[in-house]
Amino acid sequence: MGREGREARCTYIFIAFRAIFDGHCGNQAARYAAEMLIGFLEKELNLRGLDGTVSATLTVAESTDRCEEIKSALRDALLNLDNEFCTLCHYDGREWESGTTALVAMILGKSLIVANLGDCRGVLCRSIDEGSFPDEPDWKVLEAETHLTATQELSNEMKSRCVWREIANVHKPADQEERARIERANGW
């Protein structure tokens, strides 16, 4: 079945499913992940009985319960994709040392599910009414004027209408937990 068919079957489960891959030491891992992740995720969802019975109009409580199942399915799909790709790297005499970072975002009902692998960063932006600010912690005002050229101007109405926050932790070897994980995985 082509990629289009797999994407169509997952579209009615999620309002949105997006993934970005940034390969290193070749493009094989990024291309493999871009082409195959949806299939691995579909398989994991099917194993959990989430094979199309999930609707985009879930209640908040249903959405929260489903999110935990879907997070688990996504985690297992990424692990299985990684294992399969590692096997493929040495299949038939290949010596690929390719890898990839990944940032995956899925919207289910009113919930956002994010997964990241490697040194990639994910941010969430939202616009707000003039004079208001989100109650949740870690939101920062987007200072758009610092990115404008001398000939561009930003209206007062737009200066504080966009806020952002990080939604994914960058996995870097400087982090003690990440360093330990890398060492346990023999440098991977």
Side-chain angles (χ1 to χ4, degrees), residues 16-32:
F17 176 88
R18 301 289 183 262
I20 300 170
F21 305 97
D22 181 15
H24 52 269
C25 296
N27 67 358
Q28 296 94 344
R31 289 184 64 195
Y32 184 80

mmCIF file of all heavy atoms in Angstrom, residues 16-32:
data_model
loop_
_atom_site.group_PDB
_atom_site.id
_atom_site.type_symbol
_atom_site.label_atom_id
_atom_site.label_comp_id
_atom_site.label_asym_id
_atom_site.label_seq_id
_atom_site.Cartn_x
_atom_site.Cartn_y
_atom_site.Cartn_z
ATOM 1 N N ALA A 16 -4.280 16.411 13.164
ATOM 2 C CA ALA A 16 -3.024 16.704 12.462
ATOM 3 C C ALA A 16 -1.935 15.738 12.926
ATOM 4 O O ALA A 16 -1.900 15.336 14.083
ATOM 5 C CB ALA A 16 -2.582 18.135 12.745
ATOM 6 N N PHE A 17 -1.070 15.367 11.993
ATOM 7 C CA PHE A 17 0.102 14.542 12.277
ATOM 8 C C PHE A 17 1.224 15.100 11.420
ATOM 9 O O PHE A 17 1.124 15.120 10.200
ATOM 10 C CB PHE A 17 -0.156 13.072 11.918
ATOM 11 C CG PHE A 17 1.059 12.193 12.112
ATOM 12 C CD1 PHE A 17 1.301 11.599 13.337
ATOM 13 C CD2 PHE A 17 1.960 11.988 11.083
ATOM 14 C CE1 PHE A 17 2.413 10.796 13.531
ATOM 15 C CE2 PHE A 17 3.079 11.187 11.259
ATOM 16 C CZ PHE A 17 3.303 10.594 12.492
ATOM 17 N N ARG A 18 2.290 15.587 12.055
ATOM 18 C CA ARG A 18 3.414 16.159 11.327
ATOM 19 C C ARG A 18 4.708 15.645 11.941
ATOM 20 O O ARG A 18 4.795 15.448 13.155
ATOM 21 C CB ARG A 18 3.421 17.689 11.395
ATOM 22 C CG ARG A 18 2.180 18.343 10.830
ATOM 23 C CD ARG A 18 2.122 18.208 9.318
ATOM 24 N NE ARG A 18 0.991 18.886 8.760
ATOM 25 C CZ ARG A 18 -0.156 18.298 8.437
ATOM 26 N NH1 ARG A 18 -0.319 17.024 8.665
ATOM 27 N NH2 ARG A 18 -1.137 18.970 7.906
ATOM 28 N N ALA A 19 5.715 15.444 11.103
ATOM 29 C CA ALA A 19 7.023 14.997 11.590
ATOM 30 C C ALA A 19 8.108 15.650 10.743
ATOM 31 O O ALA A 19 7.953 15.807 9.531
ATOM 32 C CB ALA A 19 7.124 13.478 11.517
ATOM 33 N N ILE A 20 9.186 16.026 11.408
ATOM 34 C CA ILE A 20 10.355 16.601 10.741
ATOM 35 C C ILE A 20 11.556 15.750 11.125
ATOM 36 O O ILE A 20 11.754 15.432 12.302
ATOM 37 C CB ILE A 20 10.597 18.056 11.194
ATOM 38 C CG1 ILE A 20 9.391 18.929 10.857
ATOM 39 C CG2 ILE A 20 11.869 18.612 10.582
ATOM 40 C CD1 ILE A 20 9.446 20.305 11.475
ATOM 41 N N PHE A 21 12.353 15.376 10.128
ATOM 42 C CA PHE A 21 13.537 14.552 10.356
ATOM 43 C C PHE A 21 14.746 15.278 9.792
ATOM 44 O O PHE A 21 14.685 15.830 8.697
ATOM 45 C CB PHE A 21 13.383 13.188 9.671
ATOM 46 C CG PHE A 21 12.139 12.466 10.095
ATOM 47 C CD1 PHE A 21 10.988 12.522 9.326
ATOM 48 C CD2 PHE A 21 12.112 11.748 11.274
ATOM 49 C CE1 PHE A 21 9.836 11.876 9.726
ATOM 50 C CE2 PHE A 21 10.962 11.095 11.685
ATOM 51 C CZ PHE A 21 9.819 11.160 10.908
ATOM 52 N N ASP A 22 15.836 15.276 10.527
ATOM 53 C CA ASP A 22 17.085 15.910 10.089
ATOM 54 C C ASP A 22 18.189 14.864 10.164
ATOM 55 O O ASP A 22 18.662 14.517 11.243
ATOM 56 C CB ASP A 22 17.397 17.110 10.982
ATOM 57 C CG ASP A 22 18.665 17.839 10.566
ATOM 58 O OD1 ASP A 22 19.151 17.609 9.428
ATOM 59 O OD2 ASP A 22 19.180 18.631 11.369
ATOM 60 N N GLY A 23 18.579 14.349 9.013
ATOM 61 C CA GLY A 23 19.556 13.267 8.966
ATOM 62 C C GLY A 23 20.979 13.735 9.172
ATOM 63 O O GLY A 23 21.309 14.893 8.957
ATOM 64 N N HIS A 24 21.818 12.824 9.632
ATOM 65 C CA HIS A 24 23.254 13.085 9.736
ATOM 66 C C HIS A 24 24.002 11.833 9.282
ATOM 67 O O HIS A 24 23.481 10.725 9.354
ATOM 68 C CB HIS A 24 23.656 13.515 11.152
ATOM 69 C CG HIS A 24 23.194 12.596 12.241
ATOM 70 N ND1 HIS A 24 21.990 12.758 12.880
ATOM 71 C CD2 HIS A 24 23.761 11.497 12.769
ATOM 72 C CE1 HIS A 24 21.848 11.795 13.779
ATOM 73 N NE2 HIS A 24 22.900 11.016 13.731
ATOM 74 N N CYS A 25 25.196 12.036 8.774
ATOM 75 C CA CYS A 25 26.011 10.951 8.193
ATOM 76 C C CYS A 25 25.251 10.261 7.061
ATOM 77 O O CYS A 25 25.228 9.035 6.967
ATOM 78 C CB CYS A 25 26.440 9.937 9.248
ATOM 79 S SG CYS A 25 27.517 10.622 10.508
ATOM 80 N N GLY A 26 24.614 11.031 6.239
ATOM 81 C CA GLY A 26 23.829 10.498 5.135
ATOM 82 C C GLY A 26 22.352 10.745 5.369
ATOM 83 O O GLY A 26 21.934 11.098 6.461
ATOM 84 N N ASN A 27 21.559 10.544 4.317
ATOM 85 C CA ASN A 27 20.132 10.822 4.433
ATOM 86 C C ASN A 27 19.282 9.566 4.612
ATOM 87 O O ASN A 27 18.064 9.650 4.691
ATOM 88 C CB ASN A 27 19.648 11.598 3.199
ATOM 89 C CG ASN A 27 19.705 10.771 1.927
ATOM 90 O OD1 ASN A 27 20.138 9.617 1.928
ATOM 91 N ND2 ASN A 27 19.281 11.363 0.830
ATOM 92 N N GLN A 28 19.904 8.408 4.708
ATOM 93 C CA GLN A 28 19.141 7.160 4.742
ATOM 94 C C GLN A 28 18.165 7.097 5.925
ATOM 95 O O GLN A 28 17.012 6.706 5.762
ATOM 96 C CB GLN A 28 20.080 5.942 4.786
ATOM 97 C CG GLN A 28 20.933 5.778 3.558
ATOM 98 C CD GLN A 28 22.292 6.436 3.712
ATOM 99 O OE1 GLN A 28 22.519 7.257 4.591
ATOM 100 N NE2 GLN A 28 23.213 6.077 2.828
ATOM 101 N N ALA A 29 18.612 7.441 7.107
ATOM 102 C CA ALA A 29 17.750 7.340 8.294
ATOM 103 C C ALA A 29 16.579 8.314 8.210
ATOM 104 O O ALA A 29 15.438 7.952 8.522
ATOM 105 C CB ALA A 29 18.557 7.581 9.565
ATOM 106 N N ALA A 30 16.840 9.542 7.806
ATOM 107 C CA ALA A 30 15.768 10.532 7.708
ATOM 108 C C ALA A 30 14.743 10.119 6.651
ATOM 109 O O ALA A 30 13.531 10.217 6.880
ATOM 110 C CB ALA A 30 16.348 11.908 7.388
ATOM 111 N N ARG A 31 15.208 9.641 5.518
ATOM 112 C CA ARG A 31 14.289 9.206 4.467
ATOM 113 C C ARG A 31 13.480 7.994 4.919
ATOM 114 O O ARG A 31 12.272 7.925 4.692
ATOM 115 C CB ARG A 31 15.062 8.884 3.191
ATOM 116 C CG ARG A 31 15.594 10.145 2.525
ATOM 117 C CD ARG A 31 16.272 9.852 1.230
ATOM 118 N NE ARG A 31 15.290 9.313 0.299
ATOM 119 C CZ ARG A 31 15.601 8.697 -0.824
ATOM 120 N NH1 ARG A 31 16.863 8.539 -1.162
ATOM 121 N NH2 ARG A 31 14.670 8.241 -1.621
ATOM 122 N N TYR A 32 14.134 7.034 5.559
ATOM 123 C CA TYR A 32 13.449 5.839 6.038
ATOM 124 C C TYR A 32 12.366 6.235 7.050
ATOM 125 O O TYR A 32 11.227 5.773 6.973
ATOM 126 C CB TYR A 32 14.452 4.875 6.666
ATOM 127 C CG TYR A 32 13.845 3.573 7.113
ATOM 128 C CD1 TYR A 32 13.593 2.553 6.205
ATOM 129 C CD2 TYR A 32 13.519 3.354 8.444
ATOM 130 C CE1 TYR A 32 13.031 1.350 6.612
ATOM 131 C CE2 TYR A 32 12.958 2.161 8.865
ATOM 132 C CZ TYR A 32 12.719 1.158 7.943
ATOM 133 O OH TYR A 32 12.152 -0.027 8.348
#
